[in-house]
Amino acid sequence: MSLERKLTPSATTTDELEPIVPSHVLTSVSGEAKQIFNEGRLLEMQGNSFAAERIYARLTKISPRFIYGWSNLGNTQVILGKLDSADEAYTNSINLCVSDPDTGGKLLG
């Protein structure tokens, strides 16, 4: 899976890059996204939820269809007491599963 991005017509900086979104949910990642995911997991295991949250937030920006990026972001936000943000992250993860044609509307388990 490529982590390509494209400029929107009005974009002037790399912060305004729009991800090219594939049509299917991702249950695994490779390359840079995998390294970022593993870094977040390590930070979580070390008890550094603040840093892990930032890493997972970054991951969801570069790989927005990776369900475990969203669910792990939600996990760290629960630990930090950010329940509204966690609810949003979990909802994104669930919605990816439900809307994916390969899952047939069923959640992955």
Side-chain angles (χ1 to χ4, degrees), residues 5-20:
R5 293 177 176 258
K6 64 179 180 178
L7 284 172
T8 59
S10 63
T12 57
T13 69
T14 55
D15 290 338
E16 296 172 284
L17 291 176
E18 176 184 303
I20 297 173

Side-chain angles (χ1 to χ4, degrees), residues 14-66:
T14 55
D15 290 338
E16 296 172 284
L17 291 176
E18 176 184 303
I20 297 173
V21 180
S23 61
H24 298 283
V25 66
L26 298 176
T27 57
S28 65
V29 287
S30 60
E32 180 187 10
K34 184 174 184 174
Q35 290 174 336
I36 292 169
F37 181 65
N38 288 337
E39 183 180 347
R41 291 176 55 203
L42 179 62
L43 289 166
E44 271 190 283
M45 287 188 289
Q46 294 171 344
N48 193 344
S49 298
F50 290 104
E53 179 193 25
R54 286 191 304 273
I55 293 296
Y56 290 135
R58 180 174 164 218
L59 177 61
T60 62
K61 287 179 177 49
I62 68 165
S63 193
R65 297 198 60 85
F66 180 47

